[in-house]
Amino acid sequence: MNVALIRLIYQAMQKLFTLAIVFCTLSVSAQQRPIQSLYMFDPLVINPAYAGTHVQFSATAIYRNQWGNFDGAPKTLTASVHSGFRNAHVGLGILFGKDEIGVHSDNSLYFAYAYKIPLTNGKNPAILSMGVQGGFNTLKSDYFKTDPRDGMELGALTKFNPNFGAGVFFRSKELYAGFSVPYIVNNRTIDIIDAGFSELLAPSGRQQRYYYLTAGTTRKLSEDFKIVPSTLIRIQENAPLSFDFNAMLIIKNVVSLGGSYRLGDSVIGMFELQINENFHVGYAYDITTSDIRLYSNGSHEIMINYRIKIPRLHRGVECPSYW
């Protein structure tokens, strides 16, 4: 076998390997919206109609480190700020997200507006909230970070995707329920790639639309104990139905202990502590039940929430309890 033939075979294998990298990473970059376990402490991440539900100024950050011992495993940070205005009839919010997996990153910024309609008053007030959000995602795939570095021929690719969504949210003293479609547009994740040789063409992926259904109730067991069962159903286009079933035990309105079952994916333990009237912290650990459990030590998630009533803004308006 002559040297020219060896070189030709080597170049063909190198391009095939690069093609495999592209298809594998594109399938990851077209992954679904990041999943969090502590979303019940910041429902704004899934429903814009939740903006201003706390009435007072509320800021929350949630960080998730998924599949801890995987190289390039997903890492997600969300941060939100929202408050009630105009005697709590209007809610405004801002939601920032940063999601990383492998060589891909997704930064997002969205603004939420919610209008609230009182349905009942008295001892058990009920409110219906309707919300919309708009903003953008900036996607980046940095193939210079691939290892082996054959993918670096593709360089660093970026894409700007505007989007919008809507939702409704009902809340009374003992019950809440919501429905939302936070991202309506099925944007492309990465355009068709030509990496310098025509035989390497990778079709773009598309973000799939999610429909979220949430519901929960608060049941008083005694003066010191409450139980809060809840569920989140995810209906995603071109994917199987997914749901979480959660249960939290509230002790003296200070400590919360609970767990969650995520269909076909994980069993989750959760903890939340009210440090004082302003600060809440939480932690969740996901025990993976899918085949990934053979390679992963599970997922960690932490949350911190800060709330404060601004006298000039929230004068004469009662802020709801945390639960």
Side-chain angles (χ1 to χ4, degrees), residues 25-26 28-31 97-108 136-146 154-161 188-191 193 207:
T25 53
L26 278 179
V28 171
S29 67
Q31 70 161 343
K98 181 178 180 62
D99 188 37
E100 296 181 342
I101 178 170
V103 300
H104 308 285
S105 65
D106 180 354
N107 295 321
S108 61
F136 61 88
N137 292 68
T138 301
L139 309 177
K140 181 177 181 180
S141 295
D142 189 353
Y143 292 97
F144 289 111
K145 296 180 180 179
T146 55
L154 300 176
L157 308 173
T158 59
K159 187 163 181 61
F160 177 83
N161 284 335
R188 293 181 181 273
T189 54
I190 296 178
D191 288 328
I193 297 169
Q207 296 170 327

Side-chain angles (χ1 to χ4, degrees), residues 88-264:
H89 288 296
V90 170
L92 299 178
I94 302 174
L95 180 64
F96 167 78
K98 181 178 180 62
D99 188 37
E100 296 181 342
I101 178 170
V103 300
H104 308 285
S105 65
D106 180 354
N107 295 321
S108 61
L109 181 64
Y110 284 83
F111 298 88
Y113 170 87
Y115 184 76
K116 304 177 187 306
I117 303 173
L119 301 179
T120 62
N121 295 310
K123 293 183 178 180
N124 189 18
I127 295 175
L128 178 65
S129 177
M130 298 171 288
V132 293
Q133 72 175 22
F136 61 88
N137 292 68
T138 301
L139 309 177
K140 181 177 181 180
S141 295
D142 189 353
Y143 292 97
F144 289 111
K145 296 180 180 179
T146 55
D147 186 19
R149 297 183 63 82
D150 299 87
M152 66 184 299
E153 295 183 43
L154 300 176
L157 308 173
T158 59
K159 187 163 181 61
F160 177 83
N161 284 335
N163 215 320
F164 68 96
V168 294
F169 186 78
F170 168 85
R171 187 180 184 97
S172 66
K173 187 175 180 180
E174 297 182 346
L175 176 70
Y176 73 85
F179 172 74
S180 63
V181 190
Y183 307 100
I184 292 177
V185 181
N186 293 90
N187 284 311
R188 293 181 181 273
T189 54
I190 296 178
D191 288 328
I192 293 177
I193 297 169
D194 184 350
F197 32 90
S198 59
E199 64 267 33
L200 179 54
L201 291 175
S204 63
R206 282 191 178 273
Q207 296 170 327
Q208 299 300 309
R209 188 176 298 124
Y210 267 92
Y211 305 87
Y212 291 102
L213 285 165
T214 57
T217 184
T218 301
R219 294 297 178 185
K220 188 175 181 179
L221 303 178
S222 69
E223 290 300 320
D224 295 328
F225 295 94
K226 300 177 185 176
I227 187 169
V228 183
S230 63
T231 188
L232 169 63
I233 300 173
R234 302 177 190 85
I235 304 170
Q236 185 212 339
E237 295 175 344
N238 304 314
L241 178 73
S242 174
F243 72 85
D244 294 2
F245 177 75
N246 319 300
M248 299 292 292
L249 177 66
I250 318 302
I251 306 171
K252 293 182 177 293
N253 287 327
V254 174
V255 177
S256 305
L257 300 172
S260 177
Y261 171 72
R262 181 168 297 141
L263 180 65

Side-chain angles (χ1 to χ4, degrees), residues 4-59:
L5 182 58
I6 293 175
R7 183 179 293 110
L8 183 62
I9 293 174
Y10 173 77
Q11 291 175 347
M13 292 179 64
Q14 188 179 46
K15 292 179 180 181
L16 284 173
F17 184 74
T18 304
L19 180 63
I21 291 175
V22 172
F23 276 109
C24 289
T25 53
L26 278 179
S27 65
V28 171
S29 67
Q31 70 161 343
Q32 312 323 321
R33 299 288 177 178
I35 292 176
Q36 293 176 313
S37 297
L38 296 174
Y39 56 83
M40 70 282 297
F41 296 106
D42 190 18
L44 188 62
V45 300
I46 58 174
N47 192 340
Y50 193 79
T53 297
H54 297 168
V55 177
Q56 57 192 315
F57 175 88
S58 179

